[in-house]
Amino acid sequence: MDTATILVVCTGNVRRSPAIEAMLREGVGQIGGLARHGITVISAGSEALEGYDMDPMIASEVALAGTRLARHQAYPLDVADIESADLIITAERSHRSEVARLVPSAVKRTFTLVEIAALGDLLGRTALGGPAGSEADAATRLRTLVQLAPLQKARRRIRRPADDDLLDLRKRSPREARRLVTEARGHVEKLLQVLEPSLSLVSKPQRPAPAPAIPAPAAPADTTQPRSVHSTRSAG
């Protein structure tokens, strides 16, 4: 199995990027994640609150979305992680600029979450390696997406550049946390649908399952994975 790495970047690495990381890695709802297909997903912050857990309200909403949470500690953005990533996903355009400042050559594989999800949707699964059910490797799909996505930018229409930003909480409240995770989830699902080789969706209405237990953010299950080939920190 081929392998690849996705780096997700926000500011503090306690809200947006760890939420996106977890949903991409483990899946969301009935959509499978990328971890079992050779893709490592890590996250970092341009101004990381180093060592902090994921915001408890964000963690609660991510768990309610059907995503399994692993231990997270905020980690600062560094050159080594940028250089080793096949795809860099940022919460806002400002984070994309920060990535480019540290490693200028990385700009061609750096996109906001909103942007890369939209460009992947324009390309579709066939362009990335075959129709639904194809045996194409997820890492191959990922690299093809990075190569072809810039060519789709002319086809994409947005009202204003700020529409590519995934805004942080306006105020720290359960309602705002739910808004943020719901918005991020929509873009993550769209991206998983073009990258996930064995996508599993509910085909007919089913009785809702009980809400999953919400792990205490300060002491989640010890299911951490190595951060990357050059680091042994938590996979966030």
Side-chain angles (χ1 to χ4, degrees), residues 82-83 85 88 96 99-100 102-111:
I82 295 171
E83 290 180 336
I88 301 155
R96 188 172 59 194
V99 168
L102 292 173
V103 182
S105 63
V107 69
K108 59 187 177 183
R109 48 194 167 88
T110 304
F111 307 84

Side-chain angles (χ1 to χ4, degrees), residues 216-235:
D222 189 7
T223 56
T224 56
Q225 302 173 8
R227 178 176 175 81
S228 65
V229 294
H230 59 270
S231 172
T232 57
R233 288 183 172 85
S234 165

Side-chain angles (χ1 to χ4, degrees), residues 41-82:
V41 188
I42 61 175
S43 66
S46 59
E47 300 176 21
L49 301 173
E50 193 165 358
Y52 277 53
D53 297 332
M54 188 190 303
D55 183 303
M57 288 189 297
I58 297 295
S60 294
E61 292 300 326
V62 172
L64 287 171
T67 296
R68 182 170 73 79
L69 293 176
R71 178 169 299 175
H72 173 77
Q73 290 185 338
Y75 184 81
L77 181 64
D78 67 27
V79 169
D81 282 339
I82 295 171

